Amino acid sequence: MLKRVYVWEFPVRLTHWINVLGIASLSITGYYIGNPFVHAVSTDQYIMGWMRFIHFVAAYLFAVSFLIRIYWSLAGNKYASWRVFNPFSAGKFKELKEITKFYLFMKKEPPTGVGHTACATYVYLGLFILFIVEILTGFALYSQSHVGFLWKLMGGWMLSLFSAQTLRLYHHLIMWLIIAFSIAHVYIGWLLDRAERSGIMSSIFSGYKTVEEE
Amino acid sequence: MQDDNLFAGLSRRGVSRRDFMKFCTAMAATLALPSSFVSQIAEALEKKQKPYLVWLEYQDCAGDTEALLRANKPTVAEIVLDILSVDYHETIMAAAGKQAEKSLMDVVKNHKGKYFVVVEGSIPLKDGGVYCCVGGKAAIDIAKEVCGNALATIAVGTCAAYGGLPAANPNPTGAVGVKEAVGGTVVNLPGCPVNVENITATIVHYLTFGSLPTLDGLGRPYFGFGKRIHDNCERRAHFDAGQFVRKWGDEGHRLGWCLYEMGCKGPAAYQNCPTMKYNEKTSWPVQAGHGCIGCATPNFWDTMTPFYKRLPKVPGFGVETTADKIGLGIAAAAAAGVAAHAIASSTKKKESEEK
């Protein structure tokens, strides 16, 4: 018997899509800020001004989305819980071995499971750390032009530990890591959608997966 | 001989009352004070006893001394400092040898706690400080004695403030800034070279208010280092518009567009260059068509390089390998991995279907 399971609750889906929009707009505008590839023809234009404005607005949106997701890891269902991301929880290594075998064509079927795969939880944990570094370095750089206690607290304190240029470099490099993640993420979604036949791709819109009843 | 007050000394050198008031106004502006303070500054300079000032020079290029002396006509600021620094200045004093060292020690002995010390250059600490000695004494020992008995120490130039070029990686002499070497009350006036207006303003602040100017976390006075260069830059409008110099001497460079793409570090540097400028307000790097190198930033030689690129080089990679090349490589590797997996996956599927 097949049954429909409500896996991704609304806040999980919402933050996911804010992140998609955020990462896309932050990457494009951020790349422009680091390397202005379009030049204005007249001083009346405001290209860099707009790029920075969009970057800052998207950054706030992304940071808030990250906070909502943190909150939901405490308040949400078992698929969203922080416990899923505990790298040392029982049986995690075995699950990781199983899913890795599937990715390396050593097994035909992916391991059964409803929420994140073991591999995904490790990757997302790393991704969350990258997000935190990106948000902190971003606000540290922002605090140079926006002086105030709030921005000092949100990242400006990092400037007393690292030089602005070092922060700028890592802020930029991590963007590429997140882009590389996004490519792999979409592909694996498609791969599992085909292999599991649980509707993983549509689940991030609807929240529901279709799984075999146990 | 010391004159009774600053203005008496100035008028003897042919400085008119009008020029003196102009100087006081400029100082009020430098210190970010309203014009109502001009008369207070003038009064202080007229009435107060001049403070004694000695100028010590250690590991440096004498660039700060050059900055002080380079004016093409004697300015009021220069004369003020000239009068102040008559007691001891290694590069410009007439005395030499033991006599010179004696005059320094005389100031320390006779005016204990009442004189200013200006230090130019970093102080080496490695191997007992042997890498910089004056009159057979290590710089660190002289500085400890002279700065320790002073009213306040003013570290001029990035070397004296934070170690500067001698302290750049690998720092063979163990060079440090004055504050780190001797502690105590130190006003840092970094810059390569220091802006002389900022030295004068610091002393005028003391003469007027009896206290040193408010300092930031890096020991720099807010009046000179509280604002970001990028925010006060005369080319800022071109930055916001999106008009950038792409190559030295190109159309944009000739039209005075923003030097951001040429590696200008104005967005990460703090000093009053855009408003004070250098050499009697003649010009400053960005006005002259060269990006800021962030010379007033601690460790600027290590952290602000490469000067002509936006981003530093990625640690562990060659100079020509930029962050974008590496990043693009990572993203391309992810895409290639995905493509390879997809191809392998579809072949496998076909095989199993054929069976």
Side-chain angles (χ1 to χ4, degrees), chain B residues 1-353:
Chain B
M1 228 195 84
Q2 301 272 332
D3 296 302
D4 293 322
N5 62 57
L6 280 173
F7 182 63
L10 291 173
S11 53
R12 214 164 300 150
R13 279 170 166 80
V15 174
S16 69
R17 178 80 194 168
R18 185 182 166 79
D19 282 341
F20 175 67
M21 291 312 290
K22 272 161 76 181
F23 168 75
C24 294
T25 311
M27 281 297 115
T30 309
L31 289 166
L33 295 169
S35 57
S36 55
F37 278 89
V38 173
S39 53
Q40 208 177 320
I41 290 171
E43 208 182 317
L45 295 189
E46 278 167 347
K47 295 214 174 112
K48 292 246 172 88
Q49 194 80 34
K50 290 180 319 213
Y52 296 90
L53 190 143
V54 293
W55 185 296
L56 305 179
E57 196 175 336
Y58 298 128
Q59 292 190 131
D60 73 322
C61 64
D64 302 300
T65 298
E66 283 286 341
L68 172 68
L69 304 173
R70 264 301 151 89
N72 58 12
K73 61 178 170 32
T75 61
V76 179
E78 194 204 4
I79 292 168
V80 168
L81 282 168
D82 198 21
I83 296 163
L84 288 168
S85 59
V86 85
D87 297 303
Y88 185 86
H89 187 310
E90 278 140 0
T91 307
I92 58 172
M93 65 188 170
K98 292 215 161 58
Q99 283 163 330
E101 296 311 305
K102 187 178 172 295
S103 71
L104 174 63
M105 286 308 139
D106 283 347
V107 174
V108 175
K109 231 187 294 163
N110 301 335
H111 306 290
K112 199 172 168 175
K114 284 188 206 137
Y115 63 92
F116 280 102
V117 195
V118 172
V119 183
E120 175 181 4
S122 65
I123 296 175
L125 295 182
K126 214 185 238 177
D127 302 326
V130 294
Y131 299 111
C132 183
C133 294
V134 180
K137 273 166 87 180
I140 176 68
D141 296 329
I142 306 172
K144 265 186 189 155
E145 187 174 0
V146 178
C147 300
N149 289 306
L151 170 69
T153 303
I154 303 173
V156 301
T158 305
C159 298
Y162 311 117
L165 301 198
N169 187 43
N171 193 359
T173 63
V176 296
V178 180
K179 177 85 180 172
E180 203 183 326
V182 300
T185 312
V186 180
V187 178
N188 285 332
L189 297 176
C192 197
V194 66
N195 195 332
V196 179
E197 310 280 346
N198 288 339
I199 312 180
T200 322
T202 302
I203 291 166
V204 167
H205 189 284
Y206 179 77
L207 292 174
T208 310
F209 301 107
S211 66
L212 293 167
T214 318
L215 307 179
D216 67 8
L218 292 167
R220 311 177 294 191
Y222 277 111
F223 75 77
F225 301 87
K227 286 176 189 154
R228 196 165 64 129
I229 288 182
H230 192 50
D231 295 331
N232 290 288
C233 182
E234 60 203 37
R235 298 191 182 205
R236 178 59 188 258
H238 295 297
F239 171 82
D240 289 329
Q243 294 176 305
F244 301 97
V245 177
R246 280 180 156 164
K247 254 161 103 183
W248 299 119
D250 72 0
E251 180 74 6
H253 198 209
R254 274 175 274 145
L255 290 169
W257 286 357
C258 176
L259 294 153
Y260 183 79
E261 272 191 70
M262 301 310 289
C264 178
K265 301 299 184 297
Y270 295 78
Q271 209 186 169
N272 52 0
C273 308
T275 43
M276 291 311 297
K277 304 187 180 176
Y278 276 84
N279 300 336
E280 297 163 64
K281 294 195 193 290
T282 306
S283 187
W284 66 294
V286 170
Q287 187 180 343
H290 187 285
C292 166
I293 60 170
C295 70
T297 314
N299 309 321
F300 81 98
W301 198 264
D302 293 329
T303 60
M304 292 296 186
T305 44
F307 291 140
Y308 302 108
K309 295 223 166 90
R310 277 257 30 92
L311 289 174
K313 83 179 201 68
V314 184
F317 289 85
V319 184
E320 288 305 313
T321 317
T322 63
D324 281 330
K325 277 188 197 164
I326 292 168
L328 208 56
I330 294 167
V338 159
H341 196 279
I343 292 164
S345 168
S346 65
T347 351
K348 283 260 171 188
K349 204 170 178 209
K350 218 176 260 171
E351 275 171 24
S352 62
E353 273 163 9

Side-chain angles (χ1 to χ4, degrees), chain A residues 31 33-34 36-37 39-43 45-49 52 103 105 108 144-145 163-165 168-170 172-173 176-177 180 183-184 187 191 194, chain B residues 228 236 239-244 246 260-261 265 267-268 270 303-304 310-313 315 323-324 327-328 330-331 334-335 338 341-342 344-345 348 352:
Chain A
Y31 185 80
I33 293 166
F37 48 86
H39 277 201
V41 289
S42 125
T43 315
Q45 283 168 286
Y46 196 62
I47 300 175
M48 180 59 97
R52 291 175 77 237
Y103 289 145
F105 306 111
K108 247 174 148 176
Q144 294 190 302
S145 53
S163 81
Q165 286 299 100
R168 190 165 275 131
L169 177 66
Y170 286 99
H172 195 102
L173 279 175
W176 285 111
L177 288 178
I183 294 169
Y187 172 70
L191 184 76
R194 256 187 2 160
Chain B
R228 196 165 64 129
R236 178 59 188 258
F239 171 82
D240 289 329
Q243 294 176 305
F244 301 97
R246 280 180 156 164
Y260 183 79
E261 272 191 70
K265 301 299 184 297
Y270 295 78
T303 60
M304 292 296 186
R310 277 257 30 92
L311 289 174
K313 83 179 201 68
D324 281 330
L328 208 56
I330 294 167
V338 159
H341 196 279
S345 168
K348 283 260 171 188
S352 62

